[in-house]
Amino acid sequence: MNFLDPFYNKRKDEYGGSIKNRYKIIHQILLKISDLIIDPNFLVIAKITSRSQGGDPLFLDEYLSICKFLKEDKVDAIEVSGNDYKNYKQDGPYFLNNALKIKREVNIPIILVGGFRNKEQIDVTLDKGIDLVSMSRPFIIDKNFMEKLKNNQTSKCISCNKCFEVYKKLYKHCIFDKEKDLQLYENFGDNK
């Protein structure tokens, strides 16, 4: 949804400028999706970034309006993320405060992604009112991470973000997983 961020969207037509204009294409897409949905159990989830690439402090307030538009357009849940995850080295969920602000302002299920490495972080987040969490990097480093969560173990992921760079050359994987590195090299060579 970077199309909604004025840092990226420099259009001068009906899809640029005001927040309503930048949201217009999302609205049109959601209308078409709702026309096509046959199964009433089919969920439509929107993933939004809660921080502007340009660092605009008013961006989250604008996104609160976008979240309200999404609710009006019958989105079932909103996944809150951020586009500057590479700069986050803290322990715990990266965008929790932004997600909580959205949750307070918009009555819609909120999913939070970013920075979860153990069950305690997940439990605290859910206890604060976030509806669901999602994860990626802990599963990149360890395909059996769900079992480890059940046993109160912490992910080995150190948030170095190398997995987001290495896939440009070779399939997404953790650079610290030497066994997988060897297997990928044997299967795909140096990807030339």
Side-chain angles (χ1 to χ4, degrees):
M1 290 220 185
N2 284 341
F3 195 85
L4 298 169
D5 187 343
F7 180 82
Y8 292 106
N9 184 341
K10 305 293 186 195
R11 296 176 67 122
K12 303 289 185 205
D13 61 9
E14 64 184 307
Y15 298 105
S18 74
I19 188 65
K20 275 246 188 228
N21 285 3
R22 285 180 277 132
Y23 183 77
K24 186 175 186 176
I25 194 162
I26 307 301
H27 173 71
Q28 292 170 338
I29 291 167
L30 290 170
L31 284 177
K32 189 64 175 176
I33 289 171
S34 67
D35 288 345
L36 297 173
I37 294 174
I38 298 170
D39 183 350
N41 295 314
F42 187 89
L43 298 177
V44 177
I45 299 172
K47 183 172 185 170
I48 66 160
T49 179
S50 63
R51 297 176 59 102
S52 169
Q53 183 66 32
D56 183 351
L58 301 175
F59 183 77
L60 184 58
D61 290 334
E62 230 182 40
Y63 258 60
L64 288 170
S65 296
I66 291 168
C67 291
K68 291 173 184 173
F69 297 157
L70 290 168
K71 181 179 167 122
E72 289 171 14
D73 282 337
K74 309 270 190 273
V75 167
D76 296 294
I78 297 172
E79 183 179 40
V80 177
S81 182
N83 57 15
D84 56 353
Y85 58 87
K86 290 183 178 185
N87 295 323
Y88 279 85
K89 297 295 183 190
Q90 85 233 25
D91 290 330
Y94 303 151
F95 312 107
L96 179 59
N97 290 335
N98 292 350
L100 289 170
K101 185 171 184 178
I102 293 168
K103 181 69 179 174
R104 283 190 301 272
E105 297 283 330
V106 185
N107 185 22
I108 192 167
I110 298 294
I111 305 164
L112 181 59
V113 65
F116 293 102
R117 300 294 178 262
N118 60 55
K119 187 175 181 308
E120 180 183 359
Q121 294 167 336
I122 294 168
D123 290 342
V124 166
T125 299
L126 297 175
D127 288 345
K128 287 185 177 192
I130 299 301
D131 299 284
L132 296 165
V133 301
S134 62
M135 294 179 274
S136 174
R137 288 182 284 177
F139 292 99
I140 293 171
I141 192 169
D142 186 352
K143 66 182 179 189
N144 297 313
F145 181 60
M146 188 58 69
E147 287 301 315
K148 291 184 177 170
L149 271 179
K150 289 178 186 176
N151 294 314
N152 291 319
Q153 295 176 320
T154 297
S155 171
K156 296 184 293 185
C157 179
I158 60 170
S159 301
C160 70
N161 298 303
K162 300 293 186 195
C163 56
F164 285 94
E165 299 302 322
V166 73
Y167 81 92
K168 293 175 185 172
K169 297 178 185 166
L170 197 59
Y171 302 89
K172 188 173 275 192
H173 67 285
C174 180
I175 64 162
F176 297 112
D177 186 345
K178 299 301 179 194
E179 182 179 318
K180 188 175 284 183
D181 264 357
L182 180 60
Q183 177 188 0
L184 286 168
Y185 184 78
E186 288 173 357
N187 290 338
F188 303 106
D190 58 7
N191 203 27
K192 288 184 181 177

mmCIF file of all heavy atoms in Angstrom, residues 63-106:
data_model
loop_
_atom_site.group_PDB
_atom_site.id
_atom_site.type_symbol
_atom_site.label_atom_id
_atom_site.label_comp_id
_atom_site.label_asym_id
_atom_site.label_seq_id
_atom_site.Cartn_x
_atom_site.Cartn_y
_atom_site.Cartn_z
ATOM 1 N N TYR A 63 -3.211 7.642 8.206
ATOM 2 C CA TYR A 63 -3.520 6.224 8.062
ATOM 3 C C TYR A 63 -4.697 5.791 8.920
ATOM 4 O O TYR A 63 -5.360 4.818 8.590
ATOM 5 C CB TYR A 63 -2.264 5.376 8.327
ATOM 6 C CG TYR A 63 -1.666 4.919 7.022
ATOM 7 C CD1 TYR A 63 -1.245 5.852 6.085
ATOM 8 C CD2 TYR A 63 -1.567 3.584 6.699
ATOM 9 C CE1 TYR A 63 -0.724 5.457 4.875
ATOM 10 C CE2 TYR A 63 -1.049 3.182 5.491
ATOM 11 C CZ TYR A 63 -0.631 4.118 4.577
ATOM 12 O OH TYR A 63 -0.144 3.712 3.370
ATOM 13 N N LEU A 64 -4.971 6.508 9.975
ATOM 14 C CA LEU A 64 -6.191 6.221 10.737
ATOM 15 C C LEU A 64 -7.409 6.450 9.840
ATOM 16 O O LEU A 64 -8.356 5.657 9.866
ATOM 17 C CB LEU A 64 -6.264 7.088 11.986
ATOM 18 C CG LEU A 64 -5.284 6.711 13.090
ATOM 19 C CD1 LEU A 64 -5.268 7.779 14.173
ATOM 20 C CD2 LEU A 64 -5.594 5.352 13.676
ATOM 21 N N SER A 65 -7.370 7.493 9.040
ATOM 22 C CA SER A 65 -8.455 7.729 8.076
ATOM 23 C C SER A 65 -8.528 6.600 7.062
ATOM 24 O O SER A 65 -9.620 6.125 6.727
ATOM 25 C CB SER A 65 -8.250 9.063 7.342
ATOM 26 O OG SER A 65 -8.323 10.129 8.241
ATOM 27 N N ILE A 66 -7.368 6.152 6.585
ATOM 28 C CA ILE A 66 -7.335 5.054 5.625
ATOM 29 C C ILE A 66 -7.929 3.791 6.240
ATOM 30 O O ILE A 66 -8.712 3.077 5.600
ATOM 31 C CB ILE A 66 -5.897 4.811 5.130
ATOM 32 C CG1 ILE A 66 -5.459 5.984 4.260
ATOM 33 C CG2 ILE A 66 -5.778 3.491 4.394
ATOM 34 C CD1 ILE A 66 -3.990 6.015 3.949
ATOM 35 N N CYS A 67 -7.602 3.519 7.491
ATOM 36 C CA CYS A 67 -8.153 2.341 8.166
ATOM 37 C C CYS A 67 -9.668 2.433 8.283
ATOM 38 O O CYS A 67 -10.376 1.432 8.142
ATOM 39 C CB CYS A 67 -7.515 2.165 9.541
ATOM 40 S SG CYS A 67 -5.777 1.699 9.446
ATOM 41 N N LYS A 68 -10.169 3.632 8.517
ATOM 42 C CA LYS A 68 -11.628 3.829 8.566
ATOM 43 C C LYS A 68 -12.240 3.592 7.185
ATOM 44 O O LYS A 68 -13.310 2.989 7.065
ATOM 45 C CB LYS A 68 -11.951 5.219 9.104
ATOM 46 C CG LYS A 68 -11.607 5.353 10.578
ATOM 47 C CD LYS A 68 -11.759 6.775 11.091
ATOM 48 C CE LYS A 68 -11.303 6.857 12.544
ATOM 49 N NZ LYS A 68 -11.261 8.220 13.063
ATOM 50 N N PHE A 69 -11.558 4.052 6.138
ATOM 51 C CA PHE A 69 -12.029 3.775 4.776
ATOM 52 C C PHE A 69 -12.052 2.268 4.519
ATOM 53 O O PHE A 69 -12.998 1.752 3.917
ATOM 54 C CB PHE A 69 -11.125 4.435 3.726
ATOM 55 C CG PHE A 69 -11.056 5.934 3.755
ATOM 56 C CD1 PHE A 69 -9.965 6.578 3.204
ATOM 57 C CD2 PHE A 69 -12.061 6.716 4.317
ATOM 58 C CE1 PHE A 69 -9.873 7.964 3.200
ATOM 59 C CE2 PHE A 69 -11.975 8.101 4.328
ATOM 60 C CZ PHE A 69 -10.873 8.729 3.762
ATOM 61 N N LEU A 70 -11.003 1.576 4.948
ATOM 62 C CA LEU A 70 -10.936 0.123 4.751
ATOM 63 C C LEU A 70 -12.098 -0.570 5.447
ATOM 64 O O LEU A 70 -12.702 -1.497 4.898
ATOM 65 C CB LEU A 70 -9.603 -0.425 5.260
ATOM 66 C CG LEU A 70 -8.371 -0.049 4.443
ATOM 67 C CD1 LEU A 70 -7.092 -0.388 5.212
ATOM 68 C CD2 LEU A 70 -8.389 -0.738 3.088
ATOM 69 N N LYS A 71 -12.424 -0.130 6.642
ATOM 70 C CA LYS A 71 -13.556 -0.712 7.363
ATOM 71 C C LYS A 71 -14.856 -0.456 6.601
ATOM 72 O O LYS A 71 -15.686 -1.348 6.454
ATOM 73 C CB LYS A 71 -13.636 -0.157 8.785
ATOM 74 C CG LYS A 71 -14.781 -0.774 9.548
ATOM 75 C CD LYS A 71 -14.874 -0.262 10.947
ATOM 76 C CE LYS A 71 -16.209 -0.682 11.488
ATOM 77 N NZ LYS A 71 -16.295 -1.412 12.586
ATOM 78 N N GLU A 72 -15.046 0.771 6.120
ATOM 79 C CA GLU A 72 -16.240 1.100 5.331
ATOM 80 C C GLU A 72 -16.328 0.217 4.090
ATOM 81 O O GLU A 72 -17.427 -0.125 3.640
ATOM 82 C CB GLU A 72 -16.220 2.571 4.917
ATOM 83 C CG GLU A 72 -16.460 3.537 6.052
ATOM 84 C CD GLU A 72 -16.225 4.990 5.648
ATOM 85 O OE1 GLU A 72 -16.127 5.286 4.426
ATOM 86 O OE2 GLU A 72 -16.123 5.834 6.552
ATOM 87 N N ASP A 73 -15.178 -0.138 3.533
ATOM 88 C CA ASP A 73 -15.134 -0.984 2.338
ATOM 89 C C ASP A 73 -15.188 -2.475 2.678
ATOM 90 O O ASP A 73 -14.889 -3.323 1.840
ATOM 91 C CB ASP A 73 -13.888 -0.669 1.501
ATOM 92 C CG ASP A 73 -14.064 0.603 0.694
ATOM 93 O OD1 ASP A 73 -15.216 1.001 0.420
ATOM 94 O OD2 ASP A 73 -13.043 1.211 0.333
ATOM 95 N N LYS A 74 -15.538 -2.787 3.917
ATOM 96 C CA LYS A 74 -15.808 -4.167 4.365
ATOM 97 C C LYS A 74 -14.579 -5.061 4.431
ATOM 98 O O LYS A 74 -14.661 -6.272 4.277
ATOM 99 C CB LYS A 74 -16.878 -4.834 3.487
ATOM 100 C CG LYS A 74 -18.147 -4.022 3.309
ATOM 101 C CD LYS A 74 -19.138 -4.333 4.379
ATOM 102 C CE LYS A 74 -20.492 -3.737 4.114
ATOM 103 N NZ LYS A 74 -20.680 -2.394 4.584
ATOM 104 N N VAL A 75 -13.390 -4.476 4.658
ATOM 105 C CA VAL A 75 -12.202 -5.286 4.902
ATOM 106 C C VAL A 75 -12.403 -5.990 6.242
ATOM 107 O O VAL A 75 -12.936 -5.411 7.186
ATOM 108 C CB VAL A 75 -10.938 -4.391 4.909
ATOM 109 C CG1 VAL A 75 -9.745 -5.120 5.473
ATOM 110 C CG2 VAL A 75 -10.649 -3.911 3.504
ATOM 111 N N ASP A 76 -12.012 -7.261 6.330
ATOM 112 C CA ASP A 76 -12.250 -8.053 7.538
ATOM 113 C C ASP A 76 -11.213 -7.825 8.623
ATOM 114 O O ASP A 76 -11.504 -8.005 9.804
ATOM 115 C CB ASP A 76 -12.297 -9.544 7.169
ATOM 116 C CG ASP A 76 -13.464 -9.843 6.245
ATOM 117 O OD1 ASP A 76 -14.617 -9.714 6.689
ATOM 118 O OD2 ASP A 76 -13.216 -10.172 5.066
ATOM 119 N N ALA A 77 -10.005 -7.449 8.256
ATOM 120 C CA ALA A 77 -8.937 -7.213 9.231
ATOM 121 C C ALA A 77 -7.849 -6.375 8.570
ATOM 122 O O ALA A 77 -7.757 -6.313 7.339
ATOM 123 C CB ALA A 77 -8.348 -8.527 9.734
ATOM 124 N N ILE A 78 -7.034 -5.746 9.413
ATOM 125 C CA ILE A 78 -5.911 -4.946 8.924
ATOM 126 C C ILE A 78 -4.639 -5.465 9.576
ATOM 127 O O ILE A 78 -4.574 -5.586 10.800
ATOM 128 C CB ILE A 78 -6.100 -3.453 9.258
ATOM 129 C CG1 ILE A 78 -7.346 -2.915 8.552
ATOM 130 C CG2 ILE A 78 -4.854 -2.654 8.887
ATOM 131 C CD1 ILE A 78 -7.725 -1.507 8.967
ATOM 132 N N GLU A 79 -3.636 -5.787 8.737
ATOM 133 C CA GLU A 79 -2.323 -6.173 9.252
ATOM 134 C C GLU A 79 -1.439 -4.929 9.259
ATOM 135 O O GLU A 79 -1.246 -4.286 8.229
ATOM 136 C CB GLU A 79 -1.688 -7.265 8.401
ATOM 137 C CG GLU A 79 -0.356 -7.713 8.979
ATOM 138 C CD GLU A 79 0.301 -8.813 8.172
ATOM 139 O OE1 GLU A 79 0.263 -8.763 6.920
ATOM 140 O OE2 GLU A 79 0.870 -9.721 8.792
ATOM 141 N N VAL A 80 -0.919 -4.602 10.432
ATOM 142 C CA VAL A 80 -0.103 -3.403 10.609
ATOM 143 C C VAL A 80 1.372 -3.783 10.551
ATOM 144 O O VAL A 80 1.826 -4.665 11.270
ATOM 145 C CB VAL A 80 -0.422 -2.713 11.951
ATOM 146 C CG1 VAL A 80 0.478 -1.501 12.168
ATOM 147 C CG2 VAL A 80 -1.900 -2.317 12.011
ATOM 148 N N SER A 81 2.086 -3.098 9.687
ATOM 149 C CA SER A 81 3.512 -3.323 9.499
ATOM 150 C C SER A 81 4.195 -1.963 9.448
ATOM 151 O O SER A 81 3.648 -0.977 9.913
ATOM 152 C CB SER A 81 3.725 -4.111 8.193
ATOM 153 O OG SER A 81 5.085 -4.392 7.993
ATOM 154 N N GLY A 82 5.360 -1.936 8.872
ATOM 155 C CA GLY A 82 6.090 -0.692 8.672
ATOM 156 C C GLY A 82 7.113 -0.911 7.590
ATOM 157 O O GLY A 82 7.524 -2.037 7.335
ATOM 158 N N ASN A 83 7.517 0.144 6.940
ATOM 159 C CA ASN A 83 8.446 -0.038 5.832
ATOM 160 C C ASN A 83 9.894 0.172 6.224
ATOM 161 O O ASN A 83 10.760 0.119 5.383
ATOM 162 C CB ASN A 83 8.081 0.888 4.676
ATOM 163 C CG ASN A 83 8.053 2.342 5.093
ATOM 164 O OD1 ASN A 83 8.559 2.698 6.157
ATOM 165 N ND2 ASN A 83 7.460 3.180 4.281
ATOM 166 N N ASP A 84 10.142 0.389 7.491
ATOM 167 C CA ASP A 84 11.520 0.614 7.914
ATOM 168 C C ASP A 84 11.992 -0.448 8.901
ATOM 169 O O ASP A 84 12.769 -0.181 9.792
ATOM 170 C CB ASP A 84 11.685 2.014 8.500
ATOM 171 C CG ASP A 84 10.733 2.270 9.656
ATOM 172 O OD1 ASP A 84 9.879 1.416 9.911
ATOM 173 O OD2 ASP A 84 10.855 3.324 10.280
ATOM 174 N N TYR A 85 11.534 -1.676 8.698
ATOM 175 C CA TYR A 85 11.865 -2.783 9.593
ATOM 176 C C TYR A 85 13.367 -3.023 9.686
ATOM 177 O O TYR A 85 13.851 -3.523 10.679
ATOM 178 C CB TYR A 85 11.167 -4.070 9.147
ATOM 179 C CG TYR A 85 11.523 -4.469 7.739
ATOM 180 C CD1 TYR A 85 12.648 -5.237 7.488
ATOM 181 C CD2 TYR A 85 10.760 -4.054 6.666
ATOM 182 C CE1 TYR A 85 13.003 -5.572 6.206
ATOM 183 C CE2 TYR A 85 11.102 -4.386 5.383
ATOM 184 C CZ TYR A 85 12.222 -5.142 5.154
ATOM 185 O OH TYR A 85 12.575 -5.472 3.888
ATOM 186 N N LYS A 86 14.108 -2.658 8.655
ATOM 187 C CA LYS A 86 15.556 -2.908 8.667
ATOM 188 C C LYS A 86 16.269 -2.084 9.725
ATOM 189 O O LYS A 86 17.362 -2.415 10.140
ATOM 190 C CB LYS A 86 16.161 -2.633 7.294
ATOM 191 C CG LYS A 86 15.752 -3.654 6.257
ATOM 192 C CD LYS A 86 16.435 -3.379 4.946
ATOM 193 C CE LYS A 86 16.054 -4.436 3.925
ATOM 194 N NZ LYS A 86 16.776 -4.271 2.685
ATOM 195 N N ASN A 87 15.637 -0.997 10.152
ATOM 196 C CA ASN A 87 16.247 -0.137 11.164
ATOM 197 C C ASN A 87 15.895 -0.560 12.587
ATOM 198 O O ASN A 87 16.362 0.044 13.534
ATOM 199 C CB ASN A 87 15.816 1.316 10.943
ATOM 200 C CG ASN A 87 16.328 1.858 9.636
ATOM 201 O OD1 ASN A 87 17.437 1.529 9.235
ATOM 202 N ND2 ASN A 87 15.539 2.667 8.967
ATOM 203 N N TYR A 88 15.064 -1.574 12.716
ATOM 204 C CA TYR A 88 14.626 -1.987 14.047
ATOM 205 C C TYR A 88 15.510 -3.093 14.583
ATOM 206 O O TYR A 88 15.645 -4.144 13.987
ATOM 207 C CB TYR A 88 13.169 -2.462 14.007
ATOM 208 C CG TYR A 88 12.219 -1.311 14.033
ATOM 209 C CD1 TYR A 88 11.867 -0.651 12.869
ATOM 210 C CD2 TYR A 88 11.702 -0.857 15.225
ATOM 211 C CE1 TYR A 88 11.011 0.422 12.891
ATOM 212 C CE2 TYR A 88 10.839 0.222 15.273
ATOM 213 C CZ TYR A 88 10.500 0.854 14.105
ATOM 214 O OH TYR A 88 9.656 1.923 14.137
ATOM 215 N N LYS A 89 16.106 -2.854 15.714
ATOM 216 C CA LYS A 89 16.948 -3.847 16.377
ATOM 217 C C LYS A 89 16.450 -4.137 17.788
ATOM 218 O O LYS A 89 17.047 -4.885 18.516
ATOM 219 C CB LYS A 89 18.413 -3.371 16.437
ATOM 220 C CG LYS A 89 19.037 -3.184 15.072
ATOM 221 C CD LYS A 89 19.160 -4.484 14.322
ATOM 222 C CE LYS A 89 19.844 -4.275 12.988
ATOM 223 N NZ LYS A 89 19.795 -5.409 12.128
ATOM 224 N N GLN A 90 15.345 -3.470 18.191
ATOM 225 C CA GLN A 90 14.849 -3.644 19.554
ATOM 226 C C GLN A 90 14.225 -5.022 19.730
ATOM 227 O O GLN A 90 13.852 -5.666 18.764
ATOM 228 C CB GLN A 90 13.826 -2.565 19.895
ATOM 229 C CG GLN A 90 12.428 -2.914 19.435
ATOM 230 C CD GLN A 90 11.790 -1.852 18.587
ATOM 231 O OE1 GLN A 90 12.461 -1.068 17.956
ATOM 232 N NE2 GLN A 90 10.489 -1.838 18.565
ATOM 233 N N ASP A 91 14.107 -5.418 20.970
ATOM 234 C CA ASP A 91 13.395 -6.644 21.288
ATOM 235 C C ASP A 91 11.904 -6.333 21.286
ATOM 236 O O ASP A 91 11.474 -5.300 21.765
ATOM 237 C CB ASP A 91 13.809 -7.164 22.675
ATOM 238 C CG ASP A 91 15.234 -7.684 22.670
ATOM 239 O OD1 ASP A 91 15.694 -8.162 21.617
ATOM 240 O OD2 ASP A 91 15.892 -7.598 23.720
ATOM 241 N N GLY A 92 11.153 -7.240 20.751
ATOM 242 C CA GLY A 92 9.707 -7.091 20.821
ATOM 243 C C GLY A 92 9.104 -6.526 19.563
ATOM 244 O O GLY A 92 9.804 -6.170 18.625
ATOM 245 N N PRO A 93 7.797 -6.458 19.549
ATOM 246 C CA PRO A 93 7.075 -6.015 18.356
ATOM 247 C C PRO A 93 7.440 -4.578 17.969
ATOM 248 O O PRO A 93 7.413 -3.687 18.803
ATOM 249 C CB PRO A 93 5.601 -6.115 18.764
ATOM 250 C CG PRO A 93 5.563 -6.748 20.096
ATOM 251 C CD PRO A 93 6.927 -6.797 20.652
ATOM 252 N N TYR A 94 7.749 -4.408 16.701
ATOM 253 C CA TYR A 94 8.243 -3.120 16.228
ATOM 254 C C TYR A 94 7.168 -2.027 16.189
ATOM 255 O O TYR A 94 7.455 -0.888 16.480
ATOM 256 C CB TYR A 94 8.811 -3.242 14.818
ATOM 257 C CG TYR A 94 9.919 -4.244 14.656
ATOM 258 C CD1 TYR A 94 10.104 -4.881 13.440
ATOM 259 C CD2 TYR A 94 10.787 -4.558 15.692
ATOM 260 C CE1 TYR A 94 11.137 -5.788 13.260
ATOM 261 C CE2 TYR A 94 11.813 -5.466 15.521
ATOM 262 C CZ TYR A 94 11.977 -6.084 14.298
ATOM 263 O OH TYR A 94 12.976 -6.986 14.121
ATOM 264 N N PHE A 95 5.974 -2.356 15.782
ATOM 265 C CA PHE A 95 4.961 -1.349 15.487
ATOM 266 C C PHE A 95 3.767 -1.431 16.435
ATOM 267 O O PHE A 95 2.656 -1.036 16.081
ATOM 268 C CB PHE A 95 4.516 -1.495 14.024
ATOM 269 C CG PHE A 95 5.682 -1.589 13.083
ATOM 270 C CD1 PHE A 95 6.015 -2.804 12.490
ATOM 271 C CD2 PHE A 95 6.477 -0.497 12.824
ATOM 272 C CE1 PHE A 95 7.107 -2.901 11.645
ATOM 273 C CE2 PHE A 95 7.579 -0.585 11.973
ATOM 274 C CZ PHE A 95 7.889 -1.797 11.388
ATOM 275 N N LEU A 96 3.998 -1.939 17.629
ATOM 276 C CA LEU A 96 2.917 -2.170 18.588
ATOM 277 C C LEU A 96 2.168 -0.883 18.929
ATOM 278 O O LEU A 96 0.932 -0.862 18.922
ATOM 279 C CB LEU A 96 3.451 -2.836 19.856
ATOM 280 C CG LEU A 96 2.420 -3.099 20.950
ATOM 281 C CD1 LEU A 96 1.285 -3.989 20.451
ATOM 282 C CD2 LEU A 96 3.095 -3.741 22.167
ATOM 283 N N ASN A 97 2.866 0.194 19.218
ATOM 284 C CA ASN A 97 2.180 1.438 19.591
ATOM 285 C C ASN A 97 1.289 1.952 18.470
ATOM 286 O O ASN A 97 0.175 2.421 18.714
ATOM 287 C CB ASN A 97 3.185 2.503 20.024
ATOM 288 C CG ASN A 97 3.817 2.159 21.348
ATOM 289 O OD1 ASN A 97 3.251 1.433 22.159
ATOM 290 N ND2 ASN A 97 5.022 2.660 21.576
ATOM 291 N N ASN A 98 1.767 1.860 17.231
ATOM 292 C CA ASN A 98 0.947 2.286 16.094
ATOM 293 C C ASN A 98 -0.275 1.391 15.942
ATOM 294 O O ASN A 98 -1.385 1.871 15.699
ATOM 295 C CB ASN A 98 1.771 2.283 14.808
ATOM 296 C CG ASN A 98 2.838 3.355 14.807
ATOM 297 O OD1 ASN A 98 2.875 4.226 15.663
ATOM 298 N ND2 ASN A 98 3.722 3.294 13.834
ATOM 299 N N ALA A 99 -0.080 0.089 16.096
ATOM 300 C CA ALA A 99 -1.200 -0.855 15.973
ATOM 301 C C ALA A 99 -2.236 -0.608 17.065
ATOM 302 O O ALA A 99 -3.448 -0.665 16.810
ATOM 303 C CB ALA A 99 -0.685 -2.290 16.039
ATOM 304 N N LEU A 100 -1.777 -0.319 18.275
ATOM 305 C CA LEU A 100 -2.708 -0.045 19.367
ATOM 306 C C LEU A 100 -3.505 1.238 19.114
ATOM 307 O O LEU A 100 -4.700 1.308 19.421
ATOM 308 C CB LEU A 100 -1.966 0.041 20.699
ATOM 309 C CG LEU A 100 -1.437 -1.292 21.239
ATOM 310 C CD1 LEU A 100 -0.514 -1.054 22.428
ATOM 311 C CD2 LEU A 100 -2.583 -2.232 21.612
ATOM 312 N N LYS A 101 -2.855 2.232 18.541
ATOM 313 C CA LYS A 101 -3.560 3.471 18.222
ATOM 314 C C LYS A 101 -4.646 3.212 17.183
ATOM 315 O O LYS A 101 -5.777 3.694 17.316
ATOM 316 C CB LYS A 101 -2.571 4.530 17.722
ATOM 317 C CG LYS A 101 -3.209 5.880 17.488
ATOM 318 C CD LYS A 101 -2.189 6.964 17.204
ATOM 319 C CE LYS A 101 -2.885 8.316 17.088
ATOM 320 N NZ LYS A 101 -1.940 9.402 16.865
ATOM 321 N N ILE A 102 -4.313 2.425 16.167
ATOM 322 C CA ILE A 102 -5.306 2.079 15.143
ATOM 323 C C ILE A 102 -6.442 1.287 15.783
ATOM 324 O O ILE A 102 -7.620 1.537 15.522
ATOM 325 C CB ILE A 102 -4.646 1.293 13.993
ATOM 326 C CG1 ILE A 102 -3.673 2.207 13.231
ATOM 327 C CG2 ILE A 102 -5.698 0.714 13.054
ATOM 328 C CD1 ILE A 102 -2.751 1.481 12.276
ATOM 329 N N LYS A 103 -6.107 0.333 16.646
ATOM 330 C CA LYS A 103 -7.111 -0.496 17.306
ATOM 331 C C LYS A 103 -8.079 0.366 18.128
ATOM 332 O O LYS A 103 -9.282 0.117 18.133
ATOM 333 C CB LYS A 103 -6.411 -1.534 18.197
ATOM 334 C CG LYS A 103 -7.332 -2.483 18.914
ATOM 335 C CD LYS A 103 -7.990 -3.427 17.951
ATOM 336 C CE LYS A 103 -8.898 -4.407 18.682
ATOM 337 N NZ LYS A 103 -9.648 -5.222 17.767
ATOM 338 N N ARG A 104 -7.558 1.365 18.826
ATOM 339 C CA ARG A 104 -8.418 2.255 19.625
ATOM 340 C C ARG A 104 -9.351 3.089 18.751
ATOM 341 O O ARG A 104 -10.481 3.379 19.136
ATOM 342 C CB ARG A 104 -7.568 3.196 20.487
ATOM 343 C CG ARG A 104 -6.971 2.540 21.712
ATOM 344 C CD ARG A 104 -6.345 3.567 22.655
ATOM 345 N NE ARG A 104 -5.279 4.359 22.047
ATOM 346 C CZ ARG A 104 -3.993 4.003 22.023
ATOM 347 N NH1 ARG A 104 -3.608 2.870 22.576
ATOM 348 N NH2 ARG A 104 -3.102 4.780 21.448
ATOM 349 N N GLU A 105 -8.881 3.477 17.584
ATOM 350 C CA GLU A 105 -9.635 4.400 16.732
ATOM 351 C C GLU A 105 -10.596 3.710 15.758
ATOM 352 O O GLU A 105 -11.572 4.321 15.332
ATOM 353 C CB GLU A 105 -8.662 5.268 15.916
ATOM 354 C CG GLU A 105 -7.773 6.153 16.756
ATOM 355 C CD GLU A 105 -8.487 7.371 17.278
ATOM 356 O OE1 GLU A 105 -9.407 7.862 16.614
ATOM 357 O OE2 GLU A 105 -8.120 7.828 18.377
ATOM 358 N N VAL A 106 -10.279 2.470 15.380
ATOM 359 C CA VAL A 106 -11.060 1.785 14.349
ATOM 360 C C VAL A 106 -11.476 0.421 14.895
ATOM 361 O O VAL A 106 -10.625 -0.373 15.276
ATOM 362 C CB VAL A 106 -10.243 1.612 13.049
ATOM 363 C CG1 VAL A 106 -11.102 1.019 11.942
ATOM 364 C CG2 VAL A 106 -9.633 2.930 12.605
#
